[in-house]
Amino acid sequence: MVECIGGYFQFSVKADGLYFTVYPPKSGEQPATVADALYYLDKKKIMDCDTVKMKEAFSKAKEAPFTVKVSDAGALESREFGIYTMSSDLMEMEAVFYPPFEGAGMLDEDEIIKDIQHLGVKNGIKTDVVKDFLAHRRYGHRYVIAVGTAATEGSDGYIEYKFNTELKPTPKMNDDGTVDFHTLENVNHIRKGEVVAVLHPEDRGTPGEDLLGRKVMPKKVKHVIFRHGRDLTVSEDGLQLISSVSGHVTLENDKVFVSNVLEIVDVDNSTGDIDYQGNVNIKGNVLAGFSVKATGDIAVSGIVEGATIVAGGNITFNRGVQGMNRAVIKAGGNIVTKFLESVEQVEAGGSIETDSILHSKVNAKGSIKAAGKKGLIIGGEVRSMTLVEAKVIGNELGTATVIGVGVDPAAKRRLDELQKSLQTMGANKIQLNQIITALRKKQDLEGELSQDKKEMLQKTMKNMLIIDKELAEQKKEFEDLQSVVSEDSNARIKVYGTAYAGTKLVFGDQFMFIKEKYDHCQFIKERADIKSALL
């Protein structure tokens, strides 16, 4: 009798024939099966065996072993053996063990392992399973006796875009139930140096090894690379896509594009207000009530109605501005336009060139020239730091028209204020420096400052930073105003056609009303008087 915790059967050869014994399992274990016994007969080529009696033995061996003679003939005694089956992918081997004839030889660990190796297995033999079988011997049980090393599957590479790849401009619903068409998310803004996309490389996984020692490759994964247009750079590690310009970013067929020029057909309910880091080109019109702001240049091919246009650079209107008495136009540089009509406010850091200015308030640091085909300045107030040129100023109806050149008295007052402020802050800075120097000497001598002295030092240094920043800002403003004031002496108003009576001419803080018509002349300031002279 072998040591087995599961149910099993065993053949024995005696003088009068072949006997068959069925042993019941220990509590909780599985009984032996008729199918295993029949398989045993077939495997060991045992003939003339009474299978009916064998089946009866299984039914009677529920509580105690039951033995029955199954053949008058003997049989070749078989020792304990195992049947080994390898899976189709060669990654797993199962073993089913069968008992020996009574008194025949038993398997040991080395013999089992050699049998497995003889079948070609070079990898993954589970010696702990072999030991488990030898310790408990469950015949007919399927033991997973060898397992290959599975490949570690990888993952596809992918690109993480740091912007909205599916822009869908949607109007905002206000609390009062109205719809706001001005604030639409229709542009992915980007600043120079910002990361627009991050590449997550593919994980190719790790090869495994089957029972025969051959490599098992993981599934192929997707390899990705950045696809992009100009003005984008890839970081040194190849994992970040960085914009070289400020502007906007788009994704077209998995290719990233950035540009510092935003092109729009019309500015209306479909676009909302525009606020852009770069240049803006508008091929159509800008409707009343909307605004366009850009850090660079703005160009509009169509009409600008009662809108707000603000550019850090130049502004170009191919047609002009119909302001409806509410348009606001501001440029850090020059403004070029066909006409300005009923514009609430026009400001240029540079010059203004136009064909006509009608009933508008216009101000420029540079020259203002209405020298086109019409060359009109009628109504409103037009002021330049240096020069105003026009063919016609005012009209026969005496429409109130103000033309100003030179420095605004307010600018001169501001220059005086800045000069006094710079002197005061300079003195304050000297005092703060003295305090900081004294506290640091005390620290060097005593090794450490008291808590109140530490707080005083920190507060003084903070105040020093604030003053330095204010000094830099006010100094720049002072220098800009100084350069403007220095040009005041050359300021003039030129009229290539007619200046009509009723027009008010302003030179700095001096002014005069034209009382008669002047043709083809210029107006200049001589000391405290405003005079006309030939061109």
Side-chain angles (χ1 to χ4, degrees):
M1 180 176 174
V2 297
E3 286 293 328
C4 182
I5 63 174
Y8 70 101
F9 57 83
Q10 192 170 35
F11 288 95
S12 59
V13 179
K14 297 184 179 180
D16 60 343
L18 182 63
Y19 285 80
F20 180 73
T21 303
V22 177
Y23 295 90
K26 294 183 179 179
S27 178
E29 294 294 325
Q30 295 296 317
T33 66
V34 174
D36 281 344
L38 296 175
Y39 177 81
Y40 192 103
L41 292 177
D42 181 65
K43 190 69 177 175
K44 293 303 178 181
K45 307 298 182 187
I46 300 174
M47 307 298 181
D48 300 326
C49 190
D50 191 337
T51 57
V52 175
K53 290 183 178 181
M54 288 175 63
K55 292 177 181 178
E56 289 177 357
F58 279 100
S59 62
K60 294 180 178 180
K62 301 294 185 183
E63 303 294 335
F66 183 83
T67 303
V68 63
K69 182 179 179 181
V70 293
S71 178
D72 291 332
L76 183 63
E77 293 186 349
S78 174
R79 59 196 310 274
E80 186 179 44
F81 68 95
I83 301 297
Y84 306 98
T85 306
M86 204 177 302
S87 62
S88 59
D89 61 1
L90 305 179
M91 290 297 290
E92 187 173 281
M93 174 177 277
E94 287 185 345
V96 179
F97 294 98
Y98 294 90
F101 271 54
E102 188 175 332
M106 305 287 284
L107 292 169
D108 59 24
E109 183 177 347
D110 288 342
E111 190 173 359
I112 293 173
I113 290 174
K114 284 180 181 178
D115 286 345
I116 296 170
Q117 290 174 338
H118 181 71
L119 295 172
V121 176
K122 297 179 180 179
N123 172 56
I125 298 174
K126 300 176 75 66
T127 56
D128 58 330
V129 174
V130 175
K131 287 179 169 40
D132 178 61
F133 163 70
L134 294 174
H136 304 102
R137 281 187 161 81
R138 294 179 177 87
Y139 292 122
H141 176 74
R142 293 185 177 277
Y143 289 92
V144 178
I145 206 163
V147 178
T149 304
T152 302
E153 296 298 340
S155 57
D156 291 340
Y158 68 97
I159 294 175
E160 177 189 359
Y161 297 104
K162 295 295 187 178
F163 56 93
N164 188 351
T165 58
E166 297 181 359
L167 283 176
K168 294 180 180 179
T170 304
K172 177 184 176 183
M173 183 67 72
N174 296 321
D175 294 337
D176 60 3
T178 59
V179 179
D180 180 7
F181 286 95
H182 291 267
T183 308
L184 304 180
E185 292 186 5
N186 54 3
V187 178
N188 286 311
H189 297 280
I190 192 73
R191 292 186 180 274
K192 181 178 179 179
E194 283 188 349
V195 175
V196 301
V198 176
L199 187 147
H200 296 267
E202 72 277 11
D203 177 1
R204 297 184 180 180
T206 306
E209 190 176 3
D210 68 12
L211 296 178
L212 305 183
R214 300 180 303 184
K215 275 190 176 182
V216 177
M217 301 304 295
K219 294 177 182 178
K220 289 185 178 181
V221 294
K222 182 181 179 181
H223 173 68
V224 294
I225 59 172
F226 284 126
R227 296 180 66 244
H228 61 88
R230 64 183 183 179
D231 295 326
L232 286 159
T233 57
V234 179
S235 60
E236 289 186 9
D237 60 8
L239 301 180
Q240 293 183 329
L241 191 62
I242 303 168
S243 178
S244 302
V245 297
S246 292
H248 68 288
V249 57
T250 56
L251 181 68
E252 298 177 16
N253 297 324
D254 295 328
K255 190 172 183 179
V256 181
F257 294 92
V258 296
S259 174
N260 62 351
V261 179
L262 178 63
E263 293 192 348
I264 301 172
V265 177
D266 292 305
V267 176
D268 53 21
N269 289 342
S270 67
T271 63
D273 295 334
I274 304 299
D275 192 346
Y276 186 69
Q277 296 287 322
N279 303 326
V280 176
N281 289 340
I282 300 168
K283 297 179 180 179
N285 306 318
V286 181
L287 299 192
F290 289 92
S291 70
V292 179
K293 298 178 182 179
T295 57
D297 300 338
I298 295 176
V300 182
S301 298
I303 288 287
V304 176
E305 297 180 351
T308 298
I309 310 292
V310 180
N314 301 322
I315 292 177
T316 303
F317 300 134
N318 288 358
R319 295 181 66 179
V321 183
Q322 183 57 259
M324 303 176 180
N325 292 317
R326 57 174 173 161
V328 175
I329 312 297
K330 295 182 181 181
N334 304 324
I335 297 175
V336 177
T337 178
K338 188 72 175 175
F339 65 87
L340 296 168
E341 182 174 349
S342 301
V343 182
E344 173 68 22
Q345 182 182 7
V346 180
E347 292 186 8
S351 62
I352 297 175
E353 291 188 19
T354 182
D355 184 59
S356 62
I357 301 174
L358 305 176
H359 310 289
S360 300
K361 187 174 182 179
V362 181
N363 200 320
K365 287 185 177 180
S367 62
I368 298 175
K369 296 180 180 180
K373 185 177 180 181
K374 295 179 180 178
L376 303 176
I377 299 179
I378 301 173
E381 182 178 337
V382 176
R383 178 182 288 274
S384 164
M385 293 286 189
T386 58
L387 171 67
V388 175
E389 284 186 8
K391 287 184 178 179
V392 177
I393 294 177
N395 60 14
E396 293 179 344
L397 299 176
T399 300
T401 304
V402 178
I403 307 295
V405 290
V407 179
D408 190 326
K412 289 184 177 180
R413 289 194 297 271
R414 177 59 179 162
L415 194 65
D416 293 337
E417 290 173 2
L418 286 171
Q419 189 171 16
K420 293 177 182 177
S421 177
L422 287 170
Q423 290 173 350
T424 301
M425 283 194 290
N428 291 340
K429 184 175 178 180
I430 292 172
Q431 290 180 352
L432 292 175
N433 264 325
Q434 291 172 345
I435 294 172
I436 291 171
T437 301
L439 288 172
R440 283 179 172 167
K441 282 183 179 179
K442 185 176 181 66
Q443 186 178 31
D444 291 340
L445 289 172
E446 299 178 2
E448 188 175 358
L449 293 173
S450 61
Q451 185 61 34
D452 61 330
K453 291 293 190 292
K454 284 182 182 179
E455 291 176 359
M456 181 185 293
L457 179 59
Q458 290 174 355
K459 185 177 180 180
T460 305
M461 292 178 70
K462 184 178 179 181
N463 289 336
M464 178 69 82
L465 292 173
I466 293 171
I467 283 183
D468 281 339
K469 183 180 178 182
E470 290 180 352
L471 271 171
E473 292 173 353
Q474 290 192 13
K475 187 177 180 182
K476 184 179 185 308
E477 185 182 357
F478 182 81
E479 291 172 350
D480 290 344
L481 281 174
Q482 266 193 324
S483 65
V484 169
V485 170
S486 66
E487 296 176 1
D488 187 35
S489 60
N490 295 319
R492 59 196 59 224
I493 300 168
K494 292 183 178 182
V495 181
Y496 293 99
T498 302
Y500 287 95
T503 300
K504 181 180 179 181
L505 305 181
V506 181
F507 281 74
D509 52 1
Q510 301 294 321
F511 68 90
M512 86 170 216
F513 285 94
I514 297 177
K515 296 180 180 180
E516 58 182 299
K517 185 169 70 171
Y518 285 83
D519 293 321
H520 199 70
C521 66
Q522 63 178 332
F523 295 92
I524 59 175
K525 180 181 176 184
E526 286 187 0
R527 296 188 181 135
D529 296 325
I530 299 172
K531 296 183 177 182
S532 65
L534 294 175
L535 285 173

